[in-house]
Amino acid sequence: MCEAMIREDVEVAIFGSVARGENDAKSDLDVIAVVNNASGISKEALRSEIQSFFNERIGLSIYGRRRIEAMWEDGSPFAWHLYSQARPIKGFRSDFLTDFGAPSSYENERADCLMMRDIATSSEARLSGRVLGCECYEAGLLYVAARNVGMFSSLRISGEFNFSRMAPYALPGKFSLPLDSGVYKSLIEARHASNRGYSIPDLNGRVLAECAKTICHWIDNILKGG
């Protein structure tokens, strides 16, 4: 795929911590590519070609335009994330950020939080069963569950979405995650080790099982409204 085709058929924007100005040394440059016509386009070729425009490693998410439009219509948190925080990249089109207007209202908080609770509950069961060698993977899942619940519930509780890694701690008072922030950061590191190849943090299965219980109880508290 040549540069001219990318600029004509693909819309590109950055999102995530870099777009928010919250990136650190371990942050990826999160890039979304929205493909207008997927016919004949190789995802790997597209990934390689877009990476060539950047000096740093990118985390690339590829979507068809119809899928993005459906997310807008559903009021998906990811649609709100893109709408509120994604930034155009000079030289690329990013019409999808404005073409659809504001996403629909987010109505699926409870179902989304329950899905994350199922993830945390399953993780707790595996950790309590002392399945050896699973600690890094499970810790990463616990981070995903906690971070996403913090994000999903932030609109209702705080009045606006919080898409940061620390979203569970930005919730006010009794809704804030009652887990030591140092332990939570080790969950983040485990997630990065699992999907970005960084070094694995020091993890203890019993401590993680207790973390899982804490996260499950916290999610229940969120679902009950405190």
Side-chain angles (χ1 to χ4, degrees):
M1 172 172 271
C2 65
E3 178 178 341
M5 286 182 66
I6 287 181
R7 294 185 187 276
E8 180 180 351
D9 295 331
V10 182
E11 301 171 46
V12 181
I14 62 170
F15 67 99
S17 59
V18 174
R20 291 193 300 273
E22 298 175 355
N23 52 304
D24 56 31
K26 291 188 176 181
S27 297
D28 272 351
L29 174 58
D30 293 311
V31 177
I32 182 169
V34 178
V35 182
N36 295 305
N37 180 9
S39 177
I41 292 180
S42 161
K43 289 185 178 181
E44 287 309 312
L46 177 59
R47 186 182 302 276
S48 176
E49 193 67 27
I50 291 179
Q51 176 64 72
S52 71
F53 291 105
F54 299 91
N55 294 323
E56 57 194 292
R57 183 178 70 173
I58 67 171
L60 182 65
S61 301
I62 303 172
Y63 290 87
R65 207 171 202 271
R66 289 183 180 178
R67 175 63 180 136
I68 287 293
E69 186 172 9
M71 288 183 178
W72 245 253
E73 291 174 355
D74 289 343
S76 152
F78 187 54
W80 279 103
H81 185 173
L82 295 173
Y83 177 73
S84 62
Q85 297 187 349
R87 299 290 178 264
I89 299 174
K90 186 177 180 180
F92 290 96
R93 294 170 49 239
S94 53
D95 302 341
F96 73 96
L97 294 176
T98 55
D99 280 356
F100 307 136
S104 299
S105 298
Y106 176 49
E107 306 290 349
N108 296 319
E109 178 199 342
R110 182 172 182 81
D112 289 343
C113 286
L114 284 170
M115 188 185 307
M116 293 302 108
R117 194 195 188 288
D118 286 346
I119 289 174
T121 300
S122 297
S123 182
E124 179 190 352
R126 290 188 292 270
L127 288 163
S128 297
R130 305 289 190 269
V131 179
L132 298 177
C134 71
E135 289 84 2
C136 185
Y137 174 73
E138 299 299 343
L141 287 183
L142 292 175
Y143 161 65
V144 170
R147 183 268 176 104
N148 283 351
V149 169
M151 176 181 66
F152 297 151
S153 62
S154 59
L155 179 62
R156 171 177 56 88
I157 295 172
S158 301
E160 62 181 357
F161 276 118
N162 185 314
F163 299 107
S164 74
R165 296 175 191 166
M166 303 303 288
Y169 293 91
L171 297 173
K174 61 186 178 182
F175 295 107
S176 183
L177 177 63
L179 184 70
D180 180 82
S181 61
V183 174
Y184 181 77
K185 287 176 181 177
S186 73
L187 303 184
I188 296 175
E189 291 173 2
R191 181 64 175 175
H192 289 171
S194 295
N195 64 7
R196 299 183 186 179
Y198 292 128
S199 59
I200 298 174
D202 225 7
L203 300 167
N204 179 287
R206 290 182 180 178
V207 172
L208 289 176
E210 288 302 314
C211 285
K213 289 180 183 178
T214 298
I215 290 170
C216 287
H217 289 318
W218 169 70
I219 295 174
D220 288 341
N221 188 51
I222 294 289
L223 289 168
K224 292 173 183 176

